[in-house]
């Protein structure tokens, strides 16, 4: 009988609750004993299975420590797994010299190699959107960029504050978030676990990385998908869904590490 309980904080698991469902399945089946706490807000206002906390909160700048005060009440996490919103880190929204959210300044000339590498995270001025071929909404994209930065910043701050034994961050494989975390926030990403969702009974290929301080050996095999994102659901929650087979495999692997490393703690 499994006795040892692993406490999991699932940041941003407030849409369809992919991590919560996987943890519950394993706990019911006896595959693991997981006490999970989904945390975030639901953009579609359809669910209530989670602890309602704005993970883009910056109130502590003004002395409001609600975010950490509420997290302090939870059991100390053995694993923190996080899926920050990926919109502002996507390379799909292309614009000249970068994306609709970030600009990479061109420092090149016809004579010499630049003495200093251009930053890939230059904030775009409004005029870039006015000049763009696409009809982009400057104000909306501006807010999405801020939300993206704050959620990633808070994710790293939470990892630093609560020091879980294991931590994993999920985002698309080509997300600019990975470079931002390392180059802007200066936070080291030890293990890059690449996977493709259609290897786990999912209709989309969706190359994704689960990056953290633990090696997961997931399946990144390239094979045809049943559909494309263009033909997939328009629901934000559905498009953010994570295959249950994949979630279960991740939790099973982390739990095995957990049991092995804590067997002498009792």
């Amino acid at each position: 009988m499994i006795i040892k309980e692993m406490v999991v904080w699932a940041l941003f698991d407030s849409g369809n609750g992919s991590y919560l469902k996987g943890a519950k399945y394993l706990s019911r089946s006896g595959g693991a004993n997981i006490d999970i706490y989904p945390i975030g807000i639901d953009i579609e206002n359809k669910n209530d299975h989670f602890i309602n906390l704005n993970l883009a909160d910056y109130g502590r700048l003004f002395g409001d420590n609600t975010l950490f005060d509420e997290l302090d009440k939870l059991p100390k996490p053995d694993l923190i797994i996080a899926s920050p919103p990926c919109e502002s880190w996507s390379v799909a929204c292309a614009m000249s010299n970068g994306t609709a959210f970030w600009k990479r300044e061109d420092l090149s000339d016809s004579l010499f190699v630049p003495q200093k590498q251009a930053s890939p995270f230059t904030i775009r001025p409004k005029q870039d959107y006015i000049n763009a071929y696409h009809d982009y909404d400057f104000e909306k994209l501006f807010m999405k960029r801020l939300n993206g930065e704050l959620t990633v910043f808070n994710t790293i701050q939470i990892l630093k504050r609560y020091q879980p034994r294991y931590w994993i961050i999920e985002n698309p494989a080509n997300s600019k978030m990975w470079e931002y975390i390392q180059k802007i926030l200066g936070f080291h990403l030890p293990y890059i676990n690449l996977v493709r969702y259609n290897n786990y009974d999912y209709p989309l290929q969706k190359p994704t990385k689960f990056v953290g301080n633990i090696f997961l050996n997931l399946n990144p095999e390239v094979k045809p998908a049943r559909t494309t994102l263009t033909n997939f659901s328009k629901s934000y929650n559905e498009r953010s869904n994570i295959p249950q087979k994949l979630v279960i495999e991740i939790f099973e692997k982390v739990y095995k590490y957990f049991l092995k490393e804590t067997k002498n703690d009792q």
Side-chain angles (χ1 to χ4, degrees):
M1 178 180 293
I2 295 175
I3 299 175
K4 190 71 175 176
E5 182 179 73
M6 182 172 73
V7 176
V8 175
W9 291 7
L11 308 184
F12 309 98
D13 195 33
S14 44
N16 286 346
S18 300
Y19 296 129
L20 176 65
K21 292 173 185 174
K24 282 189 171 181
Y25 172 83
L26 280 173
S27 294
R28 285 196 307 268
S29 66
N33 185 7
I34 298 175
D35 184 19
I36 187 167
Y37 297 85
I39 301 162
I41 57 177
D42 181 12
I43 193 172
E44 295 185 357
N45 294 314
K46 291 182 177 179
N47 302 289
D48 59 2
H49 62 270
F50 55 92
I51 298 168
N52 197 325
L53 278 177
N54 178 13
L55 292 169
D57 177 71
Y58 60 94
R60 58 191 181 280
L61 183 64
F62 309 103
D64 181 354
N65 293 307
T66 298
L67 177 61
F68 287 153
D69 287 346
E70 291 302 312
L71 292 176
D72 285 349
K73 297 175 183 176
L74 302 178
K76 178 176 171 54
D78 299 299
L79 164 67
I80 292 180
I81 188 163
S83 293
C86 63
E87 294 92 335
S88 65
W89 308 109
S90 172
V91 297
C93 299
M95 277 180 70
S96 176
N97 296 329
T99 73
F101 297 95
W102 297 103
K103 185 175 185 177
R104 183 187 288 272
E105 296 286 4
D106 185 2
L107 302 182
S108 64
D109 55 42
S110 58
L111 298 176
F112 304 104
V113 173
Q115 298 301 305
K116 184 178 181 180
Q117 185 178 7
S119 170
F121 298 107
T122 299
I123 298 173
R124 284 190 176 277
K126 186 173 183 179
Q127 191 62 42
D128 279 10
Y129 300 89
I130 295 173
N131 296 338
Y133 174 78
H134 297 282
D135 185 22
Y136 285 129
D137 184 331
F138 168 70
E139 284 77 13
K140 186 175 182 180
L141 293 177
F142 187 91
M143 288 189 289
K144 279 192 173 184
R145 178 182 59 77
L146 292 177
N147 183 71
E149 288 194 84
L150 284 168
T151 49
V152 169
F153 176 75
N154 281 341
T155 295
I156 301 304
Q157 292 301 302
I158 289 169
L159 295 181
K160 290 179 176 180
R161 180 181 177 91
Y162 296 101
Q163 295 287 308
R165 184 184 295 270
Y166 313 108
W167 56 267
I168 300 168
I169 305 172
E170 175 271 337
N171 235 238
N174 292 323
S175 171
K176 290 179 69 64
M177 184 190 76
W178 306 121
E179 189 175 10
Y180 185 92
I181 289 174
Q182 294 183 94
K183 290 191 174 181
I184 303 300
L185 300 183
F187 189 79
H188 180 52
L189 302 175
Y191 292 99
I192 311 295
N193 300 289
L194 176 65
V195 67
R196 286 177 172 82
Y197 280 8
N198 63 328
N199 294 315
Y200 293 86
D201 291 345
Y202 201 72
L204 299 174
Q205 190 182 83
K206 201 173 181 181
T208 301
K209 290 176 180 175
F210 288 80
V211 177
N213 66 344
I214 183 170
F215 177 61
L216 296 171
N217 193 28
L218 304 176
N219 188 352
E221 180 186 353
V222 179
K223 63 183 183 183
R226 299 200 303 269
T227 188
T228 63
L229 192 60
T230 304
N231 298 319
F232 196 59
S233 171
K234 302 302 180 185
S235 162
Y236 178 88
N237 286 347
E238 286 300 324
R239 291 166 78 94
S240 303
N241 214 13
I242 303 171
Q244 277 299 283
K245 277 193 173 183
L246 175 57
V247 172
I248 289 168
E249 180 176 318
I250 290 171
F251 280 155
E252 284 178 332
K253 289 180 174 180
V254 177
Y255 191 69
K256 285 180 181 178
Y257 279 111
F258 173 72
L259 287 182
K260 182 178 180 181
E261 294 179 6
T262 62
K263 63 181 180 180
N264 296 322
D265 291 354
Q266 292 183 337

